[in-house]
Amino acid sequence: MTTAKLTLDGGNYEFPTFSGTENELAIDCRKLRGETTAITYDPGYGNTGSCKSAITFIDGEKGILRYRGYPIEDLVGRVRFSAVAYLLIHGELPDTAQLAGWRNDLTKNSLIHESMLKFFDHFPVTAHPMNILASMISSMSSFYPYDSEQEEHINLNIIRLIGQVKTLAAFSYKKSVGQPFMYPRSEYTYAANFLHMMFAEPTETYSVPKVLEDALDALLILHADHEQNCSTSTVRMVGSSQANLYACLSAGVNALWGPLHGGANQEVLEMLQRIQADGGDYKKYVAKAKDKDDPFRLMGFGHRVYKNFDPRAIVLRQKAEQVLNELGINDPLLDIAKNLEEIALKDSYFVERNLYPNVDFYSGIIYRAMGIPTEMFTVLFAIGRMPGWIAHWLEMRSDPDNRIHRPRQIYIGQPERHLP
Ligand code: CMC
């Protein structure tokens, strides 16, 4: 075993190192403060490994993303989102019988408690659906028994969460447009059920277009996990205090909502619309993004981990073209997006900082083509991320190294002083 040597204030210290499956090297500094009295300073945790995890592997330099060892490019189009959810949570893809049982459980548990329907009446019509979703998930712990020690309760609550999140999301949309709720149907896939609940009306026959079902399925798979991002770390952080699963996931939804995280997909579309309304002058917006005196950022660009390209964006760029072609839509926003991408990829500001389009850059174009309103974009991200959050919560609970999360700080305020 190699060790990391540290010299500090005349003292010499050694810390063990270890590496993961893909040879990522880590210095185990758990004894750092005890032995040296010093702590690490790492705002944003860019150099901090908060846990060991067997769920998702990312190589940001090579643009690799794998769930339980499977590259995302292998999964999209080959298996459905429900199978990927099973993979993330249980560690292996389900066999035929397991998948049938899992899908049956998810459908059976996709109806929300009828008393919760009344909650929708009391949100203002202007409420953001992410806010409604976070509140509803938090409320679920009042309706369903929670016993963190009993495996069957945990399993049922996991199924309820994955089954019901899409129902809650679709109902919040129906409420906002003043239409009756449409209940989920057992014959549909997960993605088709969501589209049915969003777009069907009791007076009309609605069959879910295959192109939309497949595109949504791909989008959900691509959003299903992304290791220790802000919302997943939030789920683990809240879970480390042994708060219940609903509380942890409600916190995750709120963390995801921020414009630097999942909220960026809504921001991207609004930015493209702004550029379009401004005569399509995308070069002006690239210049604004580079201007240090202007707070504007090119939304959908850049990533903490990907320093080459975001593999999800590559799949989504192709999907956006395909969906628009199949639907016969000519969206000028796609042209603006492609122009922005082209100019930014050649510009030294973006090249030097390794700023590439991320997952949020093209997803909004597809959602828009599907008829999904902009405010629902981040909700769709949350639906996709649900199995990832749950897998991390489960992994955290069974990790012998897990302790309540409690970072330290360097105090820079007033020294001790007293009232005169
Ligand atoms: N437009 C213009 N400049 C940027 C951008 C951008 N989108 N992103 C980063 N930079 C610059 C930044 O100003 C800084 O420049 P300098 O070194 O001269 O000060 C440099 O690039 C590094 O940026 P950073 O903010 O230190 O990087 P970070 O790793 O802390 O932040 C990020 C990552 C994703 C928050 C950031 O790139 C960003 O704000 N992007 C726009 C929002 C966005 O698209 N978010 C979705 C992320 S992907 C989906 C998800 O995980 O939720």
Side-chain angles (χ1 to χ4, degrees):
M1 184 177 61
T2 54
T3 55
K5 295 187 173 59
L6 172 72
T7 304
L8 183 71
D9 286 341
N12 293 313
Y13 307 92
E14 284 195 24
F15 298 97
T17 66
F18 67 95
S19 42
T21 315
E22 302 286 341
N23 299 320
E24 305 146 287
L25 186 61
I27 301 168
D28 181 346
C29 60
R30 279 178 288 182
K31 297 209 169 121
L32 176 71
R33 186 169 179 277
E35 291 187 6
T36 69
T37 75
I39 62 170
T40 57
Y41 178 62
D42 186 21
Y45 311 125
N47 305 281
T48 299
S50 61
C51 61
K52 295 175 189 159
S53 180
I55 302 168
T56 287
F57 173 69
I58 300 176
D59 185 328
E61 276 70 37
K62 295 190 186 134
I64 291 172
L65 170 58
R66 297 186 202 129
Y67 299 156
R68 300 279 188 190
Y70 295 105
I72 48 153
E73 296 83 358
D74 276 17
L75 296 168
V76 172
R78 300 269 299 280
V79 290
R80 289 282 182 194
F81 171 68
S82 48
V84 171
Y86 187 100
L87 168 72
L88 288 167
I89 291 169
H90 296 285
E92 294 295 339
L93 281 166
D95 62 26
T96 312
Q98 286 166 332
L99 183 59
W102 174 244
R103 288 176 71 169
N104 187 41
D105 285 348
L106 289 181
T107 314
K108 255 188 13 214
N109 288 285
S110 58
L111 286 174
I112 63 172
H113 196 291
E114 284 285 308
S115 302
M116 286 181 70
L117 287 180
K118 297 191 181 73
F119 292 175
F120 286 101
D121 291 336
H122 300 286
F123 284 100
V125 276
T126 50
H128 195 288
M130 279 300 271
N131 190 204
I132 298 178
L133 187 66
S135 311
M136 289 295 198
I137 290 177
S138 186
S139 309
M140 283 173 80
S141 60
S142 315
F143 286 88
Y144 299 114
Y146 192 86
D147 182 344
S148 61
E149 299 310 315
Q150 282 196 29
E151 279 312 303
E152 64 269 31
H153 280 186
I154 294 174
N155 287 337
L156 183 55
N157 285 332
I158 288 172
I159 288 164
R160 281 186 180 126
L161 273 157
I162 299 179
Q164 291 180 28
V165 64
K166 64 182 183 321
T167 314
L168 292 169
F171 282 15
S172 69
Y173 168 70
K174 284 293 195 194
K175 189 74 202 169
S176 73
V177 288
Q179 286 182 6
F181 299 136
M182 295 297 295
Y183 285 81
R185 299 180 64 101
S186 53
E187 70 267 32
Y188 286 147
T189 63
Y190 194 93
N193 239 324
F194 174 74
L195 293 166
H196 160 77
M197 287 189 283
M198 281 284 290
F199 298 120
E201 291 174 31
T203 48
E204 309 289 328
T205 310
Y206 175 81
S207 60
V208 180
K210 177 101 172 57
V211 55
L212 300 194
E213 179 186 359
D214 290 348
L216 182 58
D217 196 74
L219 279 154
L220 294 176
I221 292 174
L222 293 173
H223 287 89
D225 193 42
H226 214 237
E227 50 118 303
Q228 310 310 320
N229 55 81
C230 176
S231 55
T232 305
S233 301
T234 300
V235 170
R236 281 183 178 259
M237 166 76 88
V238 178
S240 77
S241 76
Q242 296 181 359
N244 74 60
L245 177 60
Y246 296 107
C248 298
L249 294 198
S250 171
V253 172
N254 279 315
L256 184 74
W257 190 9
L260 295 190
H261 192 10
N265 55 15
Q266 173 173 343
E267 300 272 334
V268 170
L269 206 94
E270 286 167 0
M271 174 188 79
L272 295 174
Q273 283 169 329
R274 220 169 111 197
I275 299 175
Q276 185 186 32
D278 206 1
D281 187 0
Y282 55 88
K283 290 184 183 155
K284 177 171 140 191
Y285 286 82
V286 172
K288 271 166 77 61
K290 288 160 58 176
D291 181 354
K292 286 285 158 206
D293 297 326
D294 189 328
F296 176 80
R297 282 190 164 196
L298 217 47
M299 298 312 284
F301 264 77
H303 199 277
R304 171 64 60 81
V305 179
Y306 293 121
K307 299 299 171 201
N308 184 327
F309 59 88
D310 180 340
R312 303 167 298 176
I314 293 185
V315 178
L316 286 181
R317 190 185 206 270
Q318 290 161 355
K319 267 274 168 236
E321 298 261 10
Q322 182 204 338
V323 170
L324 265 59
N325 277 343
E326 285 191 34
L327 294 176
I329 296 175
N330 183 11
D331 189 345
L333 295 193
L334 181 62
D335 296 330
I336 296 176
K338 283 201 232 157
N339 285 332
L340 269 182
E341 181 184 4
E342 199 185 325
I343 183 171
L345 291 183
K346 284 191 207 135
D347 190 294
S348 59
Y349 174 94
F350 291 86
V351 173
E352 280 159 19
R353 290 169 180 76
N354 297 313
L355 300 171
Y356 294 87
N358 59 46
V359 69
D360 294 318
F361 195 64
Y362 283 106
S363 60
I365 307 256
I366 308 178
Y367 292 140
R368 184 173 136 99
M370 296 169 95
I372 291 175
T374 318
E375 289 215 324
M376 288 291 288
F377 290 3
T378 316
V379 171
L380 279 158
F381 194 151
I383 297 174
R385 188 54 56 88
M386 197 58 62
W389 286 331
I390 291 170
H392 282 274
W393 182 85
L394 286 170
E395 186 176 65
M396 179 206 64
R397 283 166 48 89
S398 60
D399 183 350
D401 287 346
N402 183 52
R403 305 164 74 197
I404 187 165
H405 291 198
R406 205 309 186 179
R408 289 188 174 264
Q409 64 165 18
I410 305 291
Y411 176 69
I412 56 164
Q414 296 282 353
E416 182 175 355
R417 52 182 172 165
H418 299 277
L419 290 173

